[in-house]
């Protein structure tokens, strides 16, 4: 099996070459607790059902990354680019999103159309989850007011916005 560092490097090549070389990083089902991904480019990587407890994603590029069903307890996503990321059913207890970018990601499709991907925070488990200072314009959520988050009222309001 490939080592994590090799997978990350192959993924960064895949991103930079628009898929011509390297391999899209699929870390599904792995235990990457405590791994330091600070400043890495994990754009559109797959972390489904991944254990990411206390994992560091500080200033990482995580736009369109899939974190669905993952355990991000105590993870540090501060200053990360999470535009369009999918956090459906993720455990986000004590996760730190301070000053992260949670804006809509606009993808330009080959047919000239564009598609907008808001960050998805449906079914998440929050407790002391810190969203202080995040930039965000729209979210995909379950539609109810979140409990267990530390955030500005403007951000909290996005959970119940239509």
């Amino acid at each position: 099996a490939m080592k994590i560092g090799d997978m990350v490097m192959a993924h960064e090549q895949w991103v930079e070459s628009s898929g011509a070389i390297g391999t899209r990083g699929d870390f599904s089902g792995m235990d990457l607790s405590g791994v330091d991904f600070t400043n890495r480019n994990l754009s559109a990587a797959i972390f489904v059902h991944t254990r990411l407890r206390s994992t560091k994603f500080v200033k990482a590029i995580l736009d369109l990354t899939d974190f669905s069903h993952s355990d991000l307890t105590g993870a540090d996503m501060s200053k990360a680019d999470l535009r369009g990321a999918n956090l459906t059913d993720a455990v986000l207890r004590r996760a730190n999103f301070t000053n992260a970018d949670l804006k809509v990601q606009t993808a330009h499709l080959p047919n000239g159309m564009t598609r907008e991907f808001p960050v998805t925070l449906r079914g998440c488990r929050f407790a002391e989850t810190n969203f202080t200072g995040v930039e965000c314009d729209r979210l995909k959520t379950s539609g109810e007011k979140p409990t267990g988050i530390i955030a500005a009222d403007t951000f909290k309001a996005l959970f119940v916005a239509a």
Side-chain angles (χ1 to χ4, degrees), residues 109-139:
L109 307 177
N111 61 7
M113 302 282 285
T114 57
R115 192 170 155 206
E116 292 194 334
F117 295 90
V119 169
T120 304
L121 288 170
R122 276 201 186 117
C124 296
R125 274 170 284 173
F126 301 114
E128 297 169 60
T129 309
N130 193 340
F131 290 102
T132 306
V134 297
E135 290 184 65
C136 188
D137 33 22
R138 188 156 42 113
L139 286 174

mmCIF file of all heavy atoms in Angstrom, residues 109-139:
data_model
loop_
_atom_site.group_PDB
_atom_site.id
_atom_site.type_symbol
_atom_site.label_atom_id
_atom_site.label_comp_id
_atom_site.label_asym_id
_atom_site.label_seq_id
_atom_site.Cartn_x
_atom_site.Cartn_y
_atom_site.Cartn_z
ATOM 1 N N LEU A 109 -17.601 23.705 -15.813
ATOM 2 C CA LEU A 109 -17.735 22.403 -16.470
ATOM 3 C C LEU A 109 -17.249 22.471 -17.913
ATOM 4 O O LEU A 109 -17.234 23.536 -18.517
ATOM 5 C CB LEU A 109 -19.203 21.954 -16.406
ATOM 6 C CG LEU A 109 -19.816 21.956 -14.995
ATOM 7 C CD1 LEU A 109 -21.282 21.565 -15.045
ATOM 8 C CD2 LEU A 109 -19.055 21.010 -14.069
ATOM 9 N N PRO A 110 -16.845 21.310 -18.468
ATOM 10 C CA PRO A 110 -16.311 21.277 -19.840
ATOM 11 C C PRO A 110 -17.270 21.860 -20.885
ATOM 12 O O PRO A 110 -16.828 22.421 -21.883
ATOM 13 C CB PRO A 110 -16.078 19.786 -20.100
ATOM 14 C CG PRO A 110 -15.939 19.174 -18.758
ATOM 15 C CD PRO A 110 -16.791 19.983 -17.830
ATOM 16 N N ASN A 111 -18.585 21.743 -20.651
ATOM 17 C CA ASN A 111 -19.552 22.251 -21.635
ATOM 18 C C ASN A 111 -19.784 23.751 -21.530
ATOM 19 O O ASN A 111 -20.690 24.293 -22.166
ATOM 20 C CB ASN A 111 -20.892 21.500 -21.485
ATOM 21 C CG ASN A 111 -21.509 21.694 -20.105
ATOM 22 O OD1 ASN A 111 -21.020 22.486 -19.309
ATOM 23 N ND2 ASN A 111 -22.582 20.983 -19.843
ATOM 24 N N GLY A 112 -18.945 24.434 -20.727
ATOM 25 C CA GLY A 112 -19.079 25.883 -20.616
ATOM 26 C C GLY A 112 -20.035 26.335 -19.533
ATOM 27 O O GLY A 112 -20.128 27.517 -19.230
ATOM 28 N N MET A 113 -20.761 25.380 -18.939
ATOM 29 C CA MET A 113 -21.682 25.715 -17.854
ATOM 30 C C MET A 113 -20.896 25.830 -16.548
ATOM 31 O O MET A 113 -19.782 25.318 -16.445
ATOM 32 C CB MET A 113 -22.737 24.616 -17.679
ATOM 33 C CG MET A 113 -23.567 24.333 -18.925
ATOM 34 S SD MET A 113 -24.865 25.571 -19.207
ATOM 35 C CE MET A 113 -26.040 25.096 -17.945
ATOM 36 N N THR A 114 -21.489 26.489 -15.584
ATOM 37 C CA THR A 114 -20.877 26.515 -14.264
ATOM 38 C C THR A 114 -21.844 25.879 -13.280
ATOM 39 O O THR A 114 -23.061 25.916 -13.485
ATOM 40 C CB THR A 114 -20.552 27.945 -13.789
ATOM 41 O OG1 THR A 114 -21.753 28.703 -13.807
ATOM 42 C CG2 THR A 114 -19.500 28.595 -14.662
ATOM 43 N N ARG A 115 -21.291 25.277 -12.230
ATOM 44 C CA ARG A 115 -22.135 24.690 -11.200
ATOM 45 C C ARG A 115 -21.625 25.178 -9.853
ATOM 46 O O ARG A 115 -20.419 25.229 -9.631
ATOM 47 C CB ARG A 115 -22.072 23.170 -11.275
ATOM 48 C CG ARG A 115 -23.139 22.525 -10.426
ATOM 49 C CD ARG A 115 -23.267 21.042 -10.663
ATOM 50 N NE ARG A 115 -23.834 20.451 -9.458
ATOM 51 C CZ ARG A 115 -23.668 19.201 -9.078
ATOM 52 N NH1 ARG A 115 -22.944 18.387 -9.820
ATOM 53 N NH2 ARG A 115 -24.220 18.752 -7.981
ATOM 54 N N GLU A 116 -22.551 25.531 -8.982
ATOM 55 C CA GLU A 116 -22.165 26.041 -7.672
ATOM 56 C C GLU A 116 -22.301 24.957 -6.618
ATOM 57 O O GLU A 116 -23.305 24.253 -6.564
ATOM 58 C CB GLU A 116 -23.046 27.239 -7.299
ATOM 59 C CG GLU A 116 -22.780 28.444 -8.176
ATOM 60 C CD GLU A 116 -23.381 29.721 -7.609
ATOM 61 O OE1 GLU A 116 -24.380 29.639 -6.863
ATOM 62 O OE2 GLU A 116 -22.843 30.801 -7.918
ATOM 63 N N PHE A 117 -21.271 24.822 -5.804
ATOM 64 C CA PHE A 117 -21.256 23.843 -4.721
ATOM 65 C C PHE A 117 -21.132 24.564 -3.385
ATOM 66 O O PHE A 117 -20.037 24.997 -3.027
ATOM 67 C CB PHE A 117 -20.072 22.880 -4.882
ATOM 68 C CG PHE A 117 -20.142 22.004 -6.089
ATOM 69 C CD1 PHE A 117 -19.581 22.423 -7.287
ATOM 70 C CD2 PHE A 117 -20.776 20.766 -6.041
ATOM 71 C CE1 PHE A 117 -19.639 21.611 -8.421
ATOM 72 C CE2 PHE A 117 -20.834 19.942 -7.172
ATOM 73 C CZ PHE A 117 -20.265 20.366 -8.357
ATOM 74 N N PRO A 118 -22.245 24.698 -2.638
ATOM 75 C CA PRO A 118 -22.118 25.235 -1.292
ATOM 76 C C PRO A 118 -21.532 24.170 -0.368
ATOM 77 O O PRO A 118 -21.635 22.974 -0.640
ATOM 78 C CB PRO A 118 -23.563 25.547 -0.871
ATOM 79 C CG PRO A 118 -24.420 25.259 -2.061
ATOM 80 C CD PRO A 118 -23.634 24.391 -2.983
ATOM 81 N N VAL A 119 -20.923 24.602 0.735
ATOM 82 C CA VAL A 119 -20.465 23.669 1.758
ATOM 83 C C VAL A 119 -21.685 22.954 2.334
ATOM 84 O O VAL A 119 -22.710 23.575 2.608
ATOM 85 C CB VAL A 119 -19.704 24.424 2.868
ATOM 86 C CG1 VAL A 119 -19.442 23.534 4.082
ATOM 87 C CG2 VAL A 119 -18.397 24.977 2.317
ATOM 88 N N THR A 120 -21.578 21.612 2.483
ATOM 89 C CA THR A 120 -22.674 20.821 3.036
ATOM 90 C C THR A 120 -22.384 20.463 4.483
ATOM 91 O O THR A 120 -21.358 19.844 4.788
ATOM 92 C CB THR A 120 -22.883 19.531 2.211
ATOM 93 O OG1 THR A 120 -23.106 19.879 0.844
ATOM 94 C CG2 THR A 120 -24.104 18.756 2.716
ATOM 95 N N LEU A 121 -23.285 20.898 5.375
ATOM 96 C CA LEU A 121 -23.170 20.593 6.804
ATOM 97 C C LEU A 121 -24.459 19.922 7.276
ATOM 98 O O LEU A 121 -25.051 20.298 8.273
ATOM 99 C CB LEU A 121 -22.903 21.877 7.607
ATOM 100 C CG LEU A 121 -21.515 22.504 7.482
ATOM 101 C CD1 LEU A 121 -21.481 23.883 8.130
ATOM 102 C CD2 LEU A 121 -20.451 21.615 8.107
ATOM 103 N N ARG A 122 -24.894 18.886 6.535
ATOM 104 C CA ARG A 122 -26.125 18.155 6.882
ATOM 105 C C ARG A 122 -25.800 17.014 7.839
ATOM 106 O O ARG A 122 -24.873 16.257 7.594
ATOM 107 C CB ARG A 122 -26.716 17.498 5.624
ATOM 108 C CG ARG A 122 -27.564 18.423 4.812
ATOM 109 C CD ARG A 122 -28.504 17.650 3.909
ATOM 110 N NE ARG A 122 -29.197 18.582 3.046
ATOM 111 C CZ ARG A 122 -29.087 18.594 1.717
ATOM 112 N NH1 ARG A 122 -28.339 17.713 1.098
ATOM 113 N NH2 ARG A 122 -29.745 19.484 1.016
ATOM 114 N N GLY A 123 -26.587 16.890 8.906
ATOM 115 C CA GLY A 123 -26.452 15.738 9.799
ATOM 116 C C GLY A 123 -25.167 15.699 10.601
ATOM 117 O O GLY A 123 -24.793 14.642 11.099
ATOM 118 N N CYS A 124 -24.499 16.839 10.729
ATOM 119 C CA CYS A 124 -23.229 16.871 11.470
ATOM 120 C C CYS A 124 -23.475 16.799 12.973
ATOM 121 O O CYS A 124 -24.504 17.250 13.462
ATOM 122 C CB CYS A 124 -22.470 18.163 11.168
ATOM 123 S SG CYS A 124 -21.973 18.297 9.457
ATOM 124 N N ARG A 125 -22.502 16.237 13.675
ATOM 125 C CA ARG A 125 -22.552 16.257 15.129
ATOM 126 C C ARG A 125 -21.585 17.317 15.631
ATOM 127 O O ARG A 125 -20.383 17.205 15.437
ATOM 128 C CB ARG A 125 -22.231 14.878 15.698
ATOM 129 C CG ARG A 125 -23.504 14.021 15.758
ATOM 130 C CD ARG A 125 -23.218 12.591 16.080
ATOM 131 N NE ARG A 125 -22.672 11.920 14.897
ATOM 132 C CZ ARG A 125 -22.193 10.683 14.901
ATOM 133 N NH1 ARG A 125 -22.160 9.989 16.028
ATOM 134 N NH2 ARG A 125 -21.746 10.133 13.799
ATOM 135 N N PHE A 126 -22.180 18.367 16.235
ATOM 136 C CA PHE A 126 -21.402 19.494 16.726
ATOM 137 C C PHE A 126 -21.295 19.441 18.248
ATOM 138 O O PHE A 126 -22.225 19.022 18.921
ATOM 139 C CB PHE A 126 -22.088 20.824 16.373
ATOM 140 C CG PHE A 126 -22.298 21.063 14.912
ATOM 141 C CD1 PHE A 126 -23.581 21.125 14.378
ATOM 142 C CD2 PHE A 126 -21.219 21.248 14.059
ATOM 143 C CE1 PHE A 126 -23.777 21.371 13.023
ATOM 144 C CE2 PHE A 126 -21.407 21.499 12.712
ATOM 145 C CZ PHE A 126 -22.691 21.562 12.180
ATOM 146 N N ALA A 127 -20.193 19.893 18.789
ATOM 147 C CA ALA A 127 -20.042 20.193 20.214
ATOM 148 C C ALA A 127 -18.792 21.050 20.326
ATOM 149 O O ALA A 127 -17.716 20.605 19.931
ATOM 150 C CB ALA A 127 -19.907 18.922 21.049
ATOM 151 N N GLU A 128 -18.960 22.271 20.789
ATOM 152 C CA GLU A 128 -17.837 23.211 20.877
ATOM 153 C C GLU A 128 -17.125 23.349 19.527
ATOM 154 O O GLU A 128 -15.913 23.552 19.477
ATOM 155 C CB GLU A 128 -16.827 22.768 21.946
ATOM 156 C CG GLU A 128 -17.375 22.737 23.367
ATOM 157 C CD GLU A 128 -16.407 22.047 24.325
ATOM 158 O OE1 GLU A 128 -15.263 22.524 24.454
ATOM 159 O OE2 GLU A 128 -16.802 21.033 24.917
ATOM 160 N N THR A 129 -17.866 23.205 18.438
ATOM 161 C CA THR A 129 -17.285 23.352 17.099
ATOM 162 C C THR A 129 -17.125 24.843 16.811
ATOM 163 O O THR A 129 -18.099 25.594 16.889
ATOM 164 C CB THR A 129 -18.192 22.695 16.042
ATOM 165 O OG1 THR A 129 -18.499 21.359 16.466
ATOM 166 C CG2 THR A 129 -17.507 22.652 14.683
ATOM 167 N N ASN A 130 -15.905 25.256 16.497
ATOM 168 C CA ASN A 130 -15.605 26.686 16.405
ATOM 169 C C ASN A 130 -15.588 27.174 14.958
ATOM 170 O O ASN A 130 -14.710 26.798 14.179
ATOM 171 C CB ASN A 130 -14.256 26.960 17.076
ATOM 172 C CG ASN A 130 -14.035 28.445 17.309
ATOM 173 O OD1 ASN A 130 -14.667 29.294 16.675
ATOM 174 N ND2 ASN A 130 -13.129 28.777 18.204
ATOM 175 N N PHE A 131 -16.586 27.991 14.621
ATOM 176 C CA PHE A 131 -16.679 28.599 13.293
ATOM 177 C C PHE A 131 -16.429 30.109 13.364
ATOM 178 O O PHE A 131 -16.931 30.864 12.542
ATOM 179 C CB PHE A 131 -18.058 28.341 12.683
ATOM 180 C CG PHE A 131 -18.332 26.914 12.278
ATOM 181 C CD1 PHE A 131 -19.115 26.086 13.066
ATOM 182 C CD2 PHE A 131 -17.822 26.415 11.084
ATOM 183 C CE1 PHE A 131 -19.379 24.780 12.680
ATOM 184 C CE2 PHE A 131 -18.090 25.111 10.690
ATOM 185 C CZ PHE A 131 -18.870 24.289 11.496
ATOM 186 N N THR A 132 -15.645 30.553 14.328
ATOM 187 C CA THR A 132 -15.380 31.982 14.499
ATOM 188 C C THR A 132 -14.623 32.531 13.285
ATOM 189 O O THR A 132 -13.634 31.943 12.847
ATOM 190 C CB THR A 132 -14.540 32.226 15.770
ATOM 191 O OG1 THR A 132 -15.195 31.617 16.877
ATOM 192 C CG2 THR A 132 -14.387 33.717 16.040
ATOM 193 N N GLY A 133 -15.110 33.637 12.739
ATOM 194 C CA GLY A 133 -14.394 34.316 11.668
ATOM 195 C C GLY A 133 -14.439 33.644 10.307
ATOM 196 O O GLY A 133 -13.711 34.037 9.399
ATOM 197 N N VAL A 134 -15.303 32.626 10.138
ATOM 198 C CA VAL A 134 -15.371 31.982 8.821
ATOM 199 C C VAL A 134 -16.012 32.915 7.798
ATOM 200 O O VAL A 134 -16.829 33.767 8.144
ATOM 201 C CB VAL A 134 -16.150 30.642 8.847
ATOM 202 C CG1 VAL A 134 -15.462 29.612 9.728
ATOM 203 C CG2 VAL A 134 -17.598 30.834 9.246
ATOM 204 N N GLU A 135 -15.623 32.735 6.547
ATOM 205 C CA GLU A 135 -16.273 33.442 5.445
ATOM 206 C C GLU A 135 -17.245 32.464 4.808
ATOM 207 O O GLU A 135 -16.857 31.355 4.437
ATOM 208 C CB GLU A 135 -15.238 33.862 4.402
ATOM 209 C CG GLU A 135 -14.304 34.954 4.868
ATOM 210 C CD GLU A 135 -13.377 35.358 3.729
ATOM 211 O OE1 GLU A 135 -13.873 35.883 2.717
ATOM 212 O OE2 GLU A 135 -12.163 35.120 3.857
ATOM 213 N N CYS A 136 -18.505 32.867 4.726
ATOM 214 C CA CYS A 136 -19.511 31.959 4.190
ATOM 215 C C CYS A 136 -20.693 32.754 3.681
ATOM 216 O O CYS A 136 -21.110 33.729 4.297
ATOM 217 C CB CYS A 136 -19.964 30.987 5.277
ATOM 218 S SG CYS A 136 -21.038 29.687 4.667
ATOM 219 N N ASP A 137 -21.234 32.351 2.535
ATOM 220 C CA ASP A 137 -22.383 33.055 1.972
ATOM 221 C C ASP A 137 -23.627 32.173 1.925
ATOM 222 O O ASP A 137 -24.736 32.651 1.940
ATOM 223 C CB ASP A 137 -22.061 33.589 0.563
ATOM 224 C CG ASP A 137 -21.106 32.676 -0.207
ATOM 225 O OD1 ASP A 137 -21.019 31.471 0.124
ATOM 226 O OD2 ASP A 137 -20.431 33.156 -1.126
ATOM 227 N N ARG A 138 -23.442 30.850 1.871
ATOM 228 C CA ARG A 138 -24.577 29.944 1.716
ATOM 229 C C ARG A 138 -24.131 28.561 2.169
ATOM 230 O O ARG A 138 -22.983 28.180 1.976
ATOM 231 C CB ARG A 138 -24.994 29.899 0.239
ATOM 232 C CG ARG A 138 -26.273 29.156 -0.040
ATOM 233 C CD ARG A 138 -26.920 29.634 -1.337
ATOM 234 N NE ARG A 138 -25.943 29.839 -2.403
ATOM 235 C CZ ARG A 138 -25.872 29.102 -3.530
ATOM 236 N NH1 ARG A 138 -26.675 28.175 -3.781
ATOM 237 N NH2 ARG A 138 -24.971 29.336 -4.438
ATOM 238 N N LEU A 139 -25.062 27.806 2.771
ATOM 239 C CA LEU A 139 -24.756 26.452 3.233
ATOM 240 C C LEU A 139 -25.852 25.498 2.792
ATOM 241 O O LEU A 139 -26.989 25.905 2.606
ATOM 242 C CB LEU A 139 -24.720 26.402 4.771
ATOM 243 C CG LEU A 139 -23.546 27.007 5.525
ATOM 244 C CD1 LEU A 139 -23.837 26.966 7.025
ATOM 245 C CD2 LEU A 139 -22.252 26.263 5.213
#
